[in-house]
Amino acid sequence: MGGLGLQALGIEWGTYVLVGSIFLLLLTGLPLAFVTGLVALVFTVGWFGPNAIPLVISRVYGFVTEYSLVAVPMFVFMASLLDRSGIAKDLFSGMRVLAGRLPGGVAIQTLIVSVFLAAMSGIIGGEIVLLGILALPQMLRLGYDRKIAIGVVCGGGSLGTMIPPSIVLIIYGLIASVSIADLFTAAIIPGVMLAGLYMAYVLGRCLLNPELAPPMPPMPPEERKVARRQAIKSILLPAAIAFMVLGTIYAGIASVTEAAAMGVFGVLAATAIRRELDFKLIHQSVMQTMTTCGMIVWIGVGAATLVGVYNLMGGNRFVSNTILGLDAAPVVIILVMMLILLILGLFLDWIGIAMLTLPIFVPIITQLGYDPIWFGVLFAINMQVSFLSPPFGPAAFYLKGVAPPEITLGDIFASLWPFILMQLTVLAIMLSFPNLVLWMVN
């Protein structure tokens, strides 16, 4: 087609040049969406000539017109509304009463609230900021160990990656062409296990050393009765919203996209009941939704273009043949994929990792005889690790934006290692026992 001669490199060296170009351009500070789009354009024209551009664009059209993608702005809008309403604040206050004088009670209550927030929205950025504003100051004021307080906020806030309705699982389902509802079902046990492991860690450390988390001062009996009634009321609305989203999916009443719309309606109704619904709330939430979804779509477009041209070059066959040609057991190949995802998670945004790797990895998984639903859960756990991992773990930067000035990024990253190890432990368990992921689906 009259390309610029890049075909002379061959697919092997073409792959090295393509990957190297991406990382070199990322070092310049360009956004990932622009980097992938630029590299895709150069390789399209250089390998095939300008006449091939419509073939690559058709792949982008297929991505942006995917119906299930509509669920993403719905869930982001839900999260934006929750961030700005008092629902989460009241939920946190209510759980404070129910946690009582349990060792590490405020930290455990924070983790329970994290599970509620994750089950309502599936977005982690706003969740960490919210917990950083509500929970972190209270734990520090009570004299909690700083590392436990920081780790609980970031670890709990990142549960939205795993616990349905996770945006990560929705994007995986779109790319892998598997049932998003099945992914949500499969993620329940790993998500609950991870939250339970966090709670067990906090409880264990606080039982061994009560000074790490001093108990809250006791309440007078009458005040406690009133607080308990208010706590129950504060839990009802979040529980109803979570049921509107997840209950309708698991009951087969609504698809994921329809359930997302019902969730938005539920949050709007809840804010109206609480007399918080006004133009300012809607406007700010819509603007945040447009900003977040714009980023996701642009990264998706750039990555879809890059993967499209790479597949036309024969790159998918090259990578597949290379990996499948290894003289290694299938489980070793899976471990290599996990290692690649973990390394990429140190430097790239999760949406870019998904768009760049999954079109290549998922067909290999299928050829090896593994279930792509199981691999989707492993991918989500990997992305949760990436949210906490230095040097670019987003969770640390989200928290730094709202943490007291004396808490540095170094303090935050130093506090996250126990939680990263727990995430890797759950990843190892799910790798070793796939039925833990699949038995609810089956």
Side-chain angles (χ1 to χ4, degrees), residues 19-271:
V19 173
S21 301
I22 291 172
F23 279 100
L24 282 175
L25 287 172
L26 284 173
L27 291 175
T28 67
L30 279 172
L32 179 62
F34 297 159
V35 168
T36 51
L38 178 62
V39 172
L41 181 63
V42 170
F43 269 80
T44 301
V45 175
W47 200 277
F48 301 105
N51 292 336
I53 290 177
L55 294 175
V56 179
I57 290 175
S58 66
R59 183 179 178 89
V60 175
Y61 180 80
F63 167 72
V64 297
T65 56
E66 179 63 52
Y67 174 68
S68 298
L69 195 62
V70 176
V72 174
M74 294 286 188
F75 284 124
V76 175
F77 187 46
M78 277 179 61
S80 302
L81 289 169
L82 287 168
D83 286 350
R84 289 167 174 77
S85 71
I87 295 173
K89 184 177 180 180
D90 286 355
L91 176 63
F92 183 80
S93 300
M95 292 306 303
R96 177 177 62 84
V97 178
L98 299 180
R101 292 174 60 77
L102 190 71
V106 178
I108 291 173
Q109 147 209 343
T110 301
L111 291 169
I112 295 171
V113 171
S114 300
V115 173
F116 268 97
L117 294 176
M120 285 191 286
S121 67
I123 305 288
I124 79 150
E127 198 173 322
I128 290 174
V129 169
L130 198 61
L131 294 174
I133 293 171
L134 295 177
L136 184 61
Q138 185 169 351
M139 285 189 277
L140 295 177
R141 180 175 56 80
L142 288 170
Y144 271 55
D145 177 76
R146 181 182 289 188
K147 289 186 176 181
I148 286 182
I150 292 171
V152 162
V153 169
C154 289
S158 66
L159 286 171
T161 312
M162 272 301 302
I163 293 176
S166 161
I167 300 295
V168 174
L169 293 174
I170 292 173
I171 296 296
Y172 177 90
L174 291 176
I175 298 172
S177 299
V178 296
S179 167
I180 296 173
D182 284 350
L183 282 169
F184 283 179
T185 304
I188 291 174
I189 290 178
V192 170
M193 182 183 293
L194 198 53
L197 200 57
Y198 290 166
M199 293 178 201
Y201 167 75
V202 170
L203 186 60
R205 287 205 62 191
C206 295
L207 284 171
L208 291 173
N209 185 2
E211 292 182 2
L212 293 175
M216 293 184 63
M219 278 187 182
E222 287 302 316
E223 187 180 332
R224 188 169 183 80
K225 284 181 183 178
V226 175
R228 278 180 174 170
R229 285 196 294 269
Q230 290 175 340
I232 293 170
K233 287 180 183 177
S234 70
I235 292 170
L236 289 177
L237 276 177
I241 294 168
F243 177 77
M244 286 185 75
V245 177
L246 299 178
T248 52
I249 294 173
Y250 296 139
I253 299 170
S255 67
V256 171
T257 306
E258 292 162 347
M262 292 180 68
V264 170
F265 173 78
V267 175
L268 287 172
T271 52

Side-chain angles (χ1 to χ4, degrees), residues 286-306:
V286 168
M287 292 303 294
Q288 183 181 345
T289 302
M290 292 176 68
T291 302
T292 303
C293 292
M295 177 197 70
I296 290 174
V297 169
W298 273 113
I299 292 175
V301 166
T305 308
L306 183 66

Side-chain angles (χ1 to χ4, degrees), residues 365-425:
I365 291 297
T366 306
Q367 282 183 264
L368 291 173
Y370 291 105
D371 194 316
I373 297 285
W374 169 70
F375 188 75
V377 171
L378 300 184
F379 176 80
I381 300 173
N382 262 289
M383 294 306 98
Q384 191 171 64
V385 175
S386 78
F387 275 113
L388 304 188
S389 301
F392 300 118
F397 291 93
Y398 288 135
L399 182 60
K400 176 57 183 168
V402 295
E406 64 270 17
I407 293 179
T408 65
L409 272 175
D411 294 331
I412 296 174
F413 279 124
S415 306
L416 299 182
W417 288 111
F419 292 83
I420 292 173
L421 290 174
M422 284 184 274
Q423 291 170 340
L424 293 174
T425 299

